[in-house]
């Protein structure tokens, strides 16, 4: 019989058992479920709600069940619907009447909310560790490339010269915010829902604060309806992971471009690229493409849950069982993407010469040529026009700005002198951009040092 079978004259159709059951996917919450039950049972004993001996029996049996699950000796049953009732059924089969007391003052509604919060907390920590690993790699590659000049782009057109270190550190900043968002989500997840009961709390004198403390929660939910019916902590996690994936995906897009024959800025290590079954010459950036592709799936997980939740009246509705697979999928996806992405970046070969060559073409120093005139008193708009004309002249004659003779410069404006060549050298263009946030070697080194301290000092809030 079902744990809730009392008011039913007939058993459920097997199709309903299959349809209704979540055990195929929520079994991964077994540890959270058991730890939550142990904390609940001990509190019931301490509060005198059930006999202390029964509480002890329950806790010992649950600990054994946990060990058995981990040893792989337990098979779950679709008939028992979900992880909560599977474990309770096993408990009762092992210790009888004492086991039947575990669910006193509790509902699966607050139980599942608890399990999910415990799961999300743990996964946030582990994802943050993986972000740290990527940041460490970015920092170490950046350290090697504070003098490596490449074109910075807007509209994917060469714009102004920057350094590869500066480019990488842009991603470092994004990842810092990603980690912050997760920390933020962690704080709001770190609230114990147990004690909310089915929806209207309970008449038993539960000590919610003691349970929160035992399970490492900061506080307890303030409203029982909210405690069981809210899944915004899952949505926040999915939103933070979606943004993180969006950042990785942009990075992937660049890696794919950079490894093309057209760019040749990097070469991926053989261990992190793949070949073609037909074209012998091919070396494909599959890893970067897959991470980019999987971004869509994490967005899908977010949109799926937002849509599931949007029309639900308070409090619990079975629709909410649909929260799990999306959350698990997003977490699994990120945990697969981050390590392989990190290793791909760590092992890629940076082709400094091609980067420099690309920065030398495309007139990335045109802004600096205009600024040179401005410093000599020419109004910026006039300077812009003069350099525009010079660029046109260069394009018509297949030249770059540094290949023009002084006479050619002076023909267009007498203000030019010998110093123009120094002013438009790529190193000068980069290093003159020496304000906080800029790409100069000095500024980027300072930023690397600051972020090294940030990584060293990163004391997890947990
Ligand atoms: N398996 C359910 C879920 O994941 C547990 C809660 C069920 N509660 C209920 N009243 N049917 O949402």
């Amino acid at each position: 019989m079902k744990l809730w079978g009392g008011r039913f004259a007939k058993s459920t159709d097997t199709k309903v058992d299959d349809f209704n059951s979540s055990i195929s996917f929520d079994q991964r919450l077994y540890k959270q479920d058991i730890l939550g039950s142990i904390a609940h049972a001990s509190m019931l004993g301490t509060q005198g709600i059930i006999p202390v001996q029964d509480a002890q029996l329950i806790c010992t049996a649950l600990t054994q069940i946990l060990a058995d699950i981990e040893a792989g000796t337990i098979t779950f049953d679709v008939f028992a619907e979900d992880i909560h009732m599977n474990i309770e059924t096993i408990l009762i089969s092992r210790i009888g009447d004492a086991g039947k007391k575990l669910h006193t003052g509790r509902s699966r509604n607050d139980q599942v909310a608890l399990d999910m919060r415990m799961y999300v907390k743990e996964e946030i920590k582990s994802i943050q560790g993986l972000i740290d690993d990527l940041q460490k790699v970015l920092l170490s590659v950046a350290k090697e490339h504070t003098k490596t000049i490449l074109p910075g782009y807007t509209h994917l057109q060469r714009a102004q010269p920057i350094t590869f270190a500066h480019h990488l550190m842009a991603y470092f900043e994004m990842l810092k915010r990603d980690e912050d968002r997760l920390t933020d989500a962690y704080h709001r997840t770190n609230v114990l829902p147990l004690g909310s009961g089915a929806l209207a709390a309970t008449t038993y004198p539960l000590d919610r604060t003691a349970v929160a403390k035992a399970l490492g929660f900061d506080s307890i939910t303030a409203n029982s309806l909210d405690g069981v019916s809210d899944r915004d902590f899952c949505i926040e996690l999915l939103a933070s992971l979606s943004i993180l994936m969006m950042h990785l995906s942009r990075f992937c897009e660049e890696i794919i471009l950079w490894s093309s024959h057209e760019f040749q800025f990097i070469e991926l290590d053989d261990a992190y690229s793949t070949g073609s079954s037909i074209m012998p010459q091919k070396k494909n950036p599959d890893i970067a493409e897959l991470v980019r592709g999987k971004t869509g799936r994490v967005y899908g997980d977010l949109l799926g849950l937002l849509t599931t939740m949007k029309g639900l009246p308070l409090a619990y509705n079975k629709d909410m069982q649909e929260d799990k697979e999306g959350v698990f999928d997003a977490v699994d996806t990120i945990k697969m993407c981050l390590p392989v992405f990190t290793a791909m970046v760590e092992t890629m070969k940076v082709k400094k010469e091609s980067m420099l060559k690309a920065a030398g073409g495309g007139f990335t120093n045109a802004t600096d040529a205009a600024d040179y005139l401005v410093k000599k008193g020419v109004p910026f708009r006039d300077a812009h026009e003069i350099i525009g004309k010079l660029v046109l002249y260069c394009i018509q004659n297949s030249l770059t700005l540094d290949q023009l003779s002084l006479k050619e410069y002076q023909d267009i404006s007498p203000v030019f002198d010998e110093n123009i060549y120094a002013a438009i050298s790529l190193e000068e263009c980069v290093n003159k951009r020496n304000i906080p946030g800029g790409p100069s070697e000095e500024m980027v080194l300072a930023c690397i040092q600051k972020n090294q301290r940030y990584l060293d000092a990163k004391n997890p809030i947990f």
Side-chain angles (χ1 to χ4, degrees):
M1 193 164 98
K2 299 261 197 242
L3 286 180
W4 42 254
R7 65 97 60 222
F8 288 82
K10 234 168 135 178
S11 59
T12 42
D13 191 276
T14 52
K15 287 196 285 300
V16 171
D17 285 338
D18 289 343
F19 182 68
N20 203 34
S21 164
S22 52
I23 189 64
S24 64
F25 50 87
D26 68 12
Q27 56 182 276
R28 78 154 87 182
L29 296 173
Y30 72 86
K31 195 178 76 206
Q32 290 81 0
D33 199 73
I34 290 177
L35 295 179
S37 288
I38 290 176
H40 178 67
S42 334
M43 178 275 295
L44 291 178
T46 312
Q47 293 293 98
I49 300 169
I50 63 171
V52 175
Q53 301 88 305
D54 286 344
Q56 278 164 354
L57 252 178
I58 292 172
C59 292
T60 313
L62 283 173
T63 308
Q64 188 54 49
I65 293 172
L66 178 60
D68 293 346
I69 294 173
E70 285 181 340
T73 56
I74 286 187
T75 37
F76 296 116
D77 188 356
V78 172
F79 183 79
E81 205 174 309
D82 55 24
I83 186 64
H84 325 295
M85 292 201 295
N86 264 276
I87 288 174
E88 200 181 329
T89 305
I90 298 167
L91 178 73
I92 293 169
S93 76
R94 291 191 182 184
I95 59 169
D97 281 352
K100 293 182 185 166
K101 296 180 184 172
L102 167 63
H103 212 49
T104 313
R106 190 176 71 166
S107 156
R108 272 186 298 153
N109 297 352
D110 56 356
Q111 190 178 356
V112 72
L114 171 71
D115 293 2
M116 281 303 276
R117 282 178 184 266
M118 289 170 74
Y119 169 82
V120 168
K121 281 175 60 181
E122 195 175 323
E123 293 301 347
I124 286 179
K125 279 195 233 172
S126 102
I127 292 168
Q128 286 184 321
L130 296 174
I131 296 178
D132 281 359
D133 294 343
L134 174 54
Q135 286 180 316
K136 280 179 206 146
V137 164
L138 285 181
L139 210 63
S140 80
V141 181
K143 278 181 190 158
E144 304 292 305
H145 293 287
T146 55
K147 290 181 200 293
T148 305
I149 293 178
L150 81 167
Y153 294 80
T154 62
H155 314 271
L156 200 57
Q157 305 287 323
R158 291 176 210 176
Q160 291 173 340
I162 54 169
T163 65
F164 193 49
H166 192 54
H167 198 111
L168 293 177
M169 292 310 287
Y171 284 105
F172 191 101
E173 295 298 328
M174 296 175 223
L175 292 168
K176 265 162 99 174
R177 294 192 296 275
D178 291 331
E179 215 173 319
D180 262 13
R181 265 184 284 276
L182 286 168
T183 300
D184 235 36
Y186 185 95
H187 287 311
R188 278 183 290 274
T189 306
N190 200 9
V191 184
L192 178 97
L194 216 59
S196 302
L199 77 159
T202 179
T203 53
Y204 297 100
L206 304 185
D207 185 348
R208 299 187 65 203
T209 310
V211 177
K213 208 163 160 231
L215 292 173
F217 281 87
D218 261 1
S219 57
I220 59 177
T221 51
N223 179 297
S224 62
L225 291 173
D226 182 47
V228 286
S229 66
D230 149 65
R231 289 294 179 274
D232 59 19
F233 65 96
C234 295
I235 295 174
E236 271 194 70
L237 170 72
L238 292 174
S240 310
L241 297 185
S242 292
I243 298 174
L244 168 59
M245 284 303 285
M246 179 269 293
H247 287 149
L248 293 185
S249 185
R250 293 185 74 175
F251 203 161
C252 286
E253 173 66 19
E254 299 201 309
I255 286 172
I256 294 161
L257 283 172
W258 292 343
S259 57
S260 70
H261 189 75
E262 285 68 17
F263 274 81
Q264 302 187 51
F265 284 3
I266 57 158
E267 184 178 346
L268 292 176
D269 192 78
D270 280 1
Y272 292 93
S273 33
T274 50
S276 156
S277 58
I278 173 168
M279 298 167 279
Q281 85 285 10
K282 288 295 286 277
K283 181 164 171 183
N284 294 328
D286 285 29
I287 306 304
E289 291 171 89
L290 256 184
V291 172
R292 188 178 60 181
K294 284 176 189 290
T295 303
R297 157 185 196 136
V298 176
Y299 291 3
D301 295 328
L302 169 64
L303 263 292
L305 186 54
L306 279 169
T307 312
T308 298
M309 294 303 292
K310 77 181 270 288
L312 300 188
L314 300 186
Y316 178 84
N317 301 266
K318 186 78 171 199
D319 316 43
M320 289 157 64
Q321 181 165 286
E322 290 291 307
D323 61 352
K324 286 170 206 62
E325 283 163 295
V327 168
F328 296 159
D329 181 70
V331 166
D332 291 347
T333 303
I334 291 272
K335 287 173 82 175
M336 232 177 1
C337 287
L338 274 171
V340 69
F341 182 89
T342 300
M344 175 180 68
V345 171
E346 189 171 24
T347 54
M348 73 190 182
K349 195 171 121 211
V350 179
K351 297 172 155 176
K352 293 185 195 181
E353 302 71 29
S354 324
M355 288 184 175
L356 185 62
K357 197 165 154 228
F363 306 101
T364 58
N365 48 5
T367 315
D368 298 81
D371 288 342
Y372 166 88
L373 290 176
V374 169
K375 279 173 202 145
K376 288 182 169 283
V378 180
F380 181 75
R381 273 292 147 237
D382 293 340
H384 188 288
E385 190 180 335
I386 293 169
I387 304 300
K389 286 199 172 115
L390 276 174
V391 166
L392 182 62
Y393 175 83
C394 286
I395 292 169
Q396 284 162 348
N397 294 282
S398 305
L399 294 167
T400 54
L401 286 174
D402 56 308
Q403 289 168 337
L404 293 176
S405 68
L406 190 55
K407 175 161 183 325
E408 284 168 310
Y409 273 113
Q410 286 172 342
D411 281 350
I412 213 155
S413 164
V415 181
F416 284 110
D417 62 28
E418 268 300 326
N419 297 337
I420 179 64
Y421 297 103
I424 61 167
S425 89
L426 294 177
E427 289 74 17
E428 187 77 0
C429 296
V430 168
N431 288 324
K432 274 230 186 90
R433 291 178 154 70
N434 198 28
I435 62 164
S440 71
E441 191 179 3
E442 186 187 340
M443 285 300 157
V444 174
L445 277 173
C447 150
I448 288 175
Q449 271 158 21
K450 191 168 150 219
N451 283 316
Q452 182 68 61
R453 287 196 296 274
Y454 156 86
L455 276 186
D456 294 344
K458 207 187 276 178
N459 271 323
I461 48 152
F462 321 108

